[in-house]
Amino acid sequence: MAATEDRADVVIVGGAIIGSAVATFLALRPDFDGRIVVVERDTTFRTSSTTLSAASIRLQFSTPLNIEISQFGVELIKHPERFLAVGGEVPELDFVENGYLFLATTAGLGTLQVTHAIQRQLDVPVVLLSPDELRRRFDWIATDDLAGASLGLSGEGWFDAHALLQGFRRRARSLGIEERPGEVVAMERDGDRVRSVRLADGSSIQADWVVNAAGPRADAVAAMAGVELPVRPRKRLVFHFDAPVSIGAAPLTIDPSGTYFRPEGPSYIAGFSPRDGEADPDTLDLASDRAPFEAIVWPALAQRVPAFDRLRLLDTWAGHYEVNTLDHNAIVGPHPRIANLLFANGFSGHGLQQAPAVGRGLAEWIATGGWETLDLSPLGYERIERNEPIRELAII
Ligand SMILES: Cc1cc2nc3c(=O)[nH]c(=O)nc-3n(C[C@H](O)[C@H](O)[C@H](O)COP(=O)(O)OP(=O)(O)OC[C@H]3O[C@@H](n4cnc5c(N)ncnc54)[C@H](O)[C@@H]3O)c2cc1C
């Protein structure tokens, strides 16, 4: 062993929203007083999914566990003072609680009804609307081809993702957590444990626990421990535009075409994901591209919202979904045979809202060896090996 090798109880690879949430919730526990080191390759976070996201949170999932995970996310976003206050200062998250609005044609109405029933069982404040009711609430929507919609009445909307990230990092620092700039490039195994991580500068840190919070690079980090993780970086574009005619306080609206939009201050943002069968290559490239706005997004927007017939594209950026190619759901918890390697990966477009519950959950696992508040075991790596996808019906 090199004489200079560092040692920590927990090394977290990646310090954006997931890494900083795990670190903060662990350090908040009275039953844990170990040393936590967060290794981050880009401390500007300019390339992290966290800062490039649409920063929204919803309760409208079809998997009860995903709903419960977001319910805790909403609690934290509405009450940052309970978790993130430092010296009396509380991050301002600017939560805009306008709801999500899922629109359905006849083909999609059945799914909306099924998910509605599940959501109501968990007391999600959500309402199904007929096309007439939809028009009465939102007179800017073209409803001719629609059979219904589902609207979240509270606990859904968007917030300042930068402020949430900085809030977690600030709280983590106040609790003594160390952020180490650097890139983890290798791991050393000792039988069925990860013994240490090696950084690009040649230093290494021995650890009792290693948490993979590397976002779209999670598969590369897992591979360092000899593990195959079916998480792939997929480019998603966000288009920022303004419209000459205001439609007022709109919800985050998901069109049956797959295009979504929401207000962003006085303007709007929009995006889309490729449909099944369409090209969606793995890439870490972050180049933006305006062409899909003209070809895909604007036509869909203008058809759904006639007031968007005229609009002005202000800006375009790209980020990465960290897509779990098995089922588009998070992979959380220990590797079945490398017990000190913990995953918090594959969020597939909803990791920001899931960070509070997943951070809290992994802190429980590290401190006690079990799940205390929410049983996250259905999200475990075992389902990957068994090839048993979770069937979440509400994927955006
Ligand atoms: C366009 C877009 C829209 C989205 N909209 C939403 C939304 O509305 N709501 C929502 O909940 N989610 C949304 N998401 C998803 C969400 O942004 C991600 O799921 C979430 O940010 C994942 O957080 P993370 O910390 O795991 O990953 P990241 O934010 O990518 O952070 C991973 C960090 O790990 C670091 N890292 C990687 N490898 C290494 C290494 N080897 N050594 C050291 N550091 C390393 C990286 O530098 C990075 O900072 C969206 C994503 C995109 C791209």
Side-chain angles (χ1 to χ4, degrees), residues 89-377:
E89 273 184 45
V90 178
E92 287 181 21
L93 302 181
D94 296 335
F95 188 33
V96 180
E97 207 172 347
N98 280 13
Y100 271 58
L101 177 68
F102 284 82
L103 305 176
T105 59
T106 311
L109 189 60
T111 304
L112 224 53
Q113 288 162 338
V114 169
T115 54
H116 179 79
I118 297 167
Q119 289 155 8
R120 290 302 303 136
Q121 278 171 12
L122 285 165
D123 292 329
V124 176
V126 67
V127 63
L128 282 181
L129 301 173
S130 69
D132 277 351
E133 290 165 329
L134 187 58
R135 243 188 332 266
R136 274 200 294 277
R137 270 183 197 256
F138 306 111
D139 62 3
W140 40 266
I141 291 190
T143 57
D144 293 356
D145 59 336
L146 297 180
S150 173
L151 175 66
L153 300 174
S154 70
E156 294 188 324
W158 46 94
F159 54 94
D160 185 337
H162 287 262
L164 183 62
L165 173 61
Q166 296 313 331
F168 268 116
R169 291 179 69 216
R170 191 151 183 266
R171 186 74 178 109
R173 277 197 299 272
S174 78
L175 295 163
I177 291 161
E178 298 160 54
E179 191 174 87
R180 171 91 56 97
E183 179 165 7
V184 171
V185 292
M187 289 187 203
E188 192 192 338
R189 287 262 304 269
D190 187 2
D192 59 0
R193 297 181 67 74
V194 177
R195 187 187 158 280
S196 61
V197 302
R198 183 152 50 80
L199 275 59
D201 65 5
S203 64
S204 59
I205 313 171
Q206 227 187 90
D208 291 343
W209 297 94
V210 174
V211 180
N212 183 348
R217 289 182 164 80
D219 57 339
V221 169
M224 295 173 200
V227 172
E228 153 64 17
L229 195 66
V231 173
R232 300 289 176 265
R234 302 275 168 84
K235 192 195 270 197
R236 294 291 179 269
L237 294 160
V238 180
F239 306 99
H240 182 204
F241 63 94
D242 69 12
V245 183
S246 169
I247 60 169
L252 191 155
T253 303
I254 303 104
D255 189 64
S257 65
T259 291
Y260 71 84
F261 76 91
R262 69 159 173 82
E264 172 70 15
S267 48
Y268 303 89
I269 61 170
F272 70 103
S273 287
R275 323 300 308 268
D276 283 348
E278 288 176 4
D280 194 13
D282 302 347
T283 178
L284 282 167
D285 164 50
L286 277 174
S288 67
D289 179 4
R290 298 167 81 103
F293 185 75
E294 302 284 340
I296 299 168
V297 173
W298 192 359
L301 291 175
Q303 192 190 346
R304 186 59 57 211
V305 185
F308 287 166
D309 187 34
R310 283 187 305 129
L311 45 79
R312 188 164 57 108
L313 186 58
L314 302 171
D315 189 17
T316 305
W317 74 85
H320 298 119
Y321 270 19
E322 68 291 45
V323 171
N324 170 357
T325 56
L326 177 71
D327 62 12
H328 296 258
N329 279 292
I331 304 167
V332 180
H335 185 274
R337 287 172 301 286
I338 311 171
N340 71 333
L341 176 64
L342 299 178
F343 302 110
N345 307 117
F347 295 94
S348 309
H350 39 268
L352 201 57
Q353 63 199 280
Q354 297 199 326
V358 167
R360 181 184 65 174
L362 282 187
E364 292 165 1
W365 188 269
I366 292 170
T368 72
W371 309 113
E372 292 179 334
T373 45
L374 279 180
D375 177 6
L376 299 180
S377 57

Side-chain angles (χ1 to χ4, degrees), residues 14 16 18 40-41 49-50 53-54 56 184 216 322 349-353:
I18 295 292
E40 172 52 55
R41 64 189 287 282
S49 304
T50 297
S53 84
S56 305
V184 171
E322 68 291 45
H350 39 268
L352 201 57
Q353 63 199 280

